[in-house]
Amino acid sequence: MPRGLISILLLVVSNVFMTFAWYGNLKLEQLNITKDWPLILIILLSWGVALLEYLVMIPANRIGSQVTGGPFSLMQLKIIQEAISLTVFTVIVATVFKGEPIRWNHFVAFVCIILAVFFAFLKK
């Protein structure tokens, strides 16, 4: 499998963990699972999930970076990661946080992000 594809797949997995590390605590609160937890326990739980994110993100960047023989420049890697991050976030919001509306302006913002990826890959 090409290094670029491996890197992108790992970035997707990493961003799933990242989204749950950052926002999963809100769903747990909504489900009354962490309702009486002190904030420090919620932070520690989120850090644990974030550790999983880093265990995938670091290899994704090392595999994909031109610095280590991959196909992407650092700027390209970062812009790809941001596009993946927003896509994963939107899918999770639409499926897990069903009460959160996705509006037309969110789609316009996505188009701008996709355009950013396009422009990042243009040759001088």
Side-chain angles (χ1 to χ4, degrees), residues 5-78:
L5 182 58
I6 293 169
S7 179
I8 288 170
L9 291 174
L10 289 172
L11 286 171
V12 170
V13 172
S14 170
N15 277 281
V16 169
F17 285 126
M18 179 191 70
T19 300
F20 281 109
W22 289 7
Y23 303 102
N25 70 86
L26 300 174
K27 185 61 178 182
L28 293 175
E29 183 77 16
Q30 197 177 51
L31 296 171
N32 292 322
I33 293 172
T34 59
K35 190 164 187 76
D36 297 322
W37 287 27
L39 183 57
I40 189 67
L41 277 181
I42 293 168
I43 291 169
L44 291 173
L45 175 65
S46 292
W47 277 357
V49 177
L51 174 63
L52 297 173
E53 179 222 343
Y54 275 79
L55 290 173
V56 182
M57 175 66 79
I58 302 305
N61 286 329
R62 291 189 65 82
I63 291 168
S65 173
Q66 288 174 344
V67 172
T68 55
F72 305 124
S73 71
L74 294 178
M75 290 299 290
Q76 289 171 332
L77 261 176
K78 181 59 180 172

